[in-house]
Amino acid sequence: MKSKHLLSIKDLSIADINNILTKAEKFLDKKNKKKNSFSDKNIINLFFEDSTRTLTSFELAGKQLGASVINMSIATSSIKKGETLIDTAMTLNAMDPDILIVRHNMSGVPYLLSEKVNCSVINAGDGSNEHPTQALLDALTIKRHKKNIAGLEVAILGDVLHSRVARSNIYLLNKLGAKVRIISPPTLLPPKIEDLGVKVFKNLEEGLKNVDIVMVLRMQKERMSGTFVPSEKEFFKFWGLDRKKLNNAKKNALVMHPGPINRGIEIDSDVADDIGRSLILEQVKLGVAIRMALIEQLIK
Ligand code: NCD
């Protein structure tokens, strides 16, 4: 990798991406799981936003590699006493960590911090900008089911406007040669999204035609000021993925969602829990392997 940080998918070459995916597949093999070669390494998780999957999997990934992992508790930190973001980062930097893993509700914070610290910085999700490790684990999940990502028709469905997962996936899937389309109500569609190399569909049934993968996004209520949809019930009726709507996609189309899912808003339980079609829990599982591969790549 050219950079010692992972801030955006845009910074990765196709070779970098394939390298991380191959490494992650090796970690899935039990024999390669426990490694203690990183016992002299320190990783700090600095999460200013809630997280279940990403935080836990980064912690597990670091520990599986033998590193010491510290989860900073923001609620009990000096940030509550008025310390600035940069002072907090510089303080942590003075303790000489090898990696700082940052999640923040403002776009650009991991970039800002990467300029102030000596260690590697991983973007674990910044506002509605990017979530590169989610896109990497999504690519690994797709690869394990469809072999070739190039040529696949992938639909990203729902609240694209507020989604960092959507943006990172658009960059990554385009790099790997998939054809990406966005299906979203006009109020949740970012302006000029076509410029990122995607096709836009404002009708769900039409948008799902001939699709291999449907990536459903969570409605990001915490990033909305005001109302973007008339009601959750109405959103589900027109834009929520249920069995009937999924039938418009290819017969063997698979369903993904970064989690946490809002049942009955963007996805029906019947689809989310269908182990023949839904890859949601597999995405979580593969997240640990991807993060192990990335950590190893950045600090070996
Ligand atoms: C996503 C996030 O936080 O961006 N979740 C995750 O990391 N798995 C998506 C979301 O919150 O909707």
Side-chain angles (χ1 to χ4, degrees):
M1 275 168 71
K2 245 185 8 224
S3 167
K4 66 173 179 177
H5 310 295
L6 177 61
L7 304 172
S8 163
I9 291 292
K10 287 189 262 183
D11 303 333
L12 297 177
S13 67
I14 295 175
D16 292 334
I17 295 168
N18 286 328
N19 216 345
I20 296 170
L21 298 184
T22 309
K23 254 183 204 250
E25 285 197 293
K26 285 203 192 118
F27 282 124
L28 286 172
D29 184 354
K30 278 230 158 49
K31 290 196 299 293
N32 288 317
K33 257 197 169 153
K34 274 264 175 215
K35 282 182 94 182
N36 284 317
S37 44
F38 286 77
S39 55
D40 58 339
K41 306 290 184 195
N42 296 312
I43 299 174
I44 302 182
N45 280 319
L46 187 57
F47 278 52
F48 294 88
E49 245 191 18
D50 296 344
S51 174
T52 301
R53 280 147 274 263
T54 308
L55 178 62
T56 313
S57 62
F58 266 118
E59 182 176 357
L60 274 174
K63 287 183 171 163
Q64 305 246 41
L65 292 168
S68 302
V69 185
I70 287 150
N71 296 332
M72 271 282 300
S73 160
I74 304 298
T76 53
S77 74
S78 290
I79 287 184
K80 294 283 164 204
K81 298 181 187 166
E83 187 169 64
T84 67
L85 176 68
I86 289 175
D87 284 335
T88 302
M90 307 254 290
T91 302
L92 296 175
N93 187 51
M95 296 180 217
D96 225 9
D98 296 282
I99 309 190
L100 207 53
I101 301 170
V102 183
R103 168 171 284 198
H104 201 281
N105 66 359
M106 273 166 57
S107 300
V109 165
Y111 292 81
L112 184 71
L113 296 188
S114 73
E115 299 196 327
K116 306 279 172 199
V117 298
N118 306 316
C119 61
S120 293
V121 174
I122 298 177
N123 179 359
D126 62 328
S128 45
N129 180 40
E130 275 217 54
H131 191 351
T133 57
Q134 180 69 41
L136 286 164
L137 75 88
D138 287 344
L140 182 61
T141 312
I142 298 175
K143 198 170 158 235
R144 288 176 72 80
H145 285 267
K146 300 280 186 190
K147 307 286 177 271
N148 270 329
I149 294 183
L152 286 181
E153 294 277 355
V154 181
I156 303 182
L157 164 66
D159 181 1
V160 182
L161 182 65
H162 302 101
S163 176
R164 52 198 179 203
V165 173
R167 249 163 291 274
S168 285
N169 263 305
I170 292 170
Y171 297 138
L172 192 147
L173 290 166
N174 272 337
K175 273 184 198 260
L176 297 186
K179 293 180 215 140
V180 185
R181 50 177 91 177
I182 299 296
I183 313 171
S184 169
T187 49
L188 293 174
L189 194 64
K192 299 209 173 155
I193 187 85
E194 292 91 342
D195 294 357
L196 301 185
V198 295
K199 252 182 156 173
V200 172
F201 288 85
K202 290 175 188 159
N203 174 288
L204 189 139
E205 282 75 11
E206 214 181 290
L208 285 178
K209 275 194 195 121
N210 205 32
V211 153
D212 298 285
I213 302 279
V214 192
M215 271 186 192
V216 186
L217 300 173
R218 181 174 66 87
M219 176 119 70
Q220 309 250 322
K221 283 180 264 182
E222 75 277 21
R223 296 191 214 290
M224 297 180 184
S225 49
T227 339
F228 284 74
V229 292
S231 75
E232 286 172 354
K233 221 169 149 190
E234 194 168 323
F235 182 86
F236 182 64
K237 184 164 169 225
F238 291 103
W239 302 98
L241 190 68
D242 59 13
R243 181 80 51 187
K244 191 159 165 253
K245 295 188 193 111
L246 179 61
N247 284 341
N248 289 284
K250 279 190 186 161
K251 260 208 172 77
N252 59 351
L254 296 171
V255 176
M256 301 172 72
H257 189 306
I261 60 173
N262 285 318
R263 294 172 183 270
I265 299 180
E266 73 265 357
I267 193 164
D268 195 16
S269 288
D270 178 37
V271 172
D273 300 334
D274 178 350
I275 48 164
R277 302 298 287 275
S278 163
L279 304 179
I280 297 172
L281 292 176
E282 191 173 337
Q283 288 171 266
V284 177
K285 178 183 162 82
L286 298 182
V288 179
I290 276 290
R291 288 165 178 132
M292 286 175 80
L294 177 65
I295 290 170
E296 189 183 74
Q297 184 82 3
L298 290 178
I299 54 172
K300 75 169 180 264

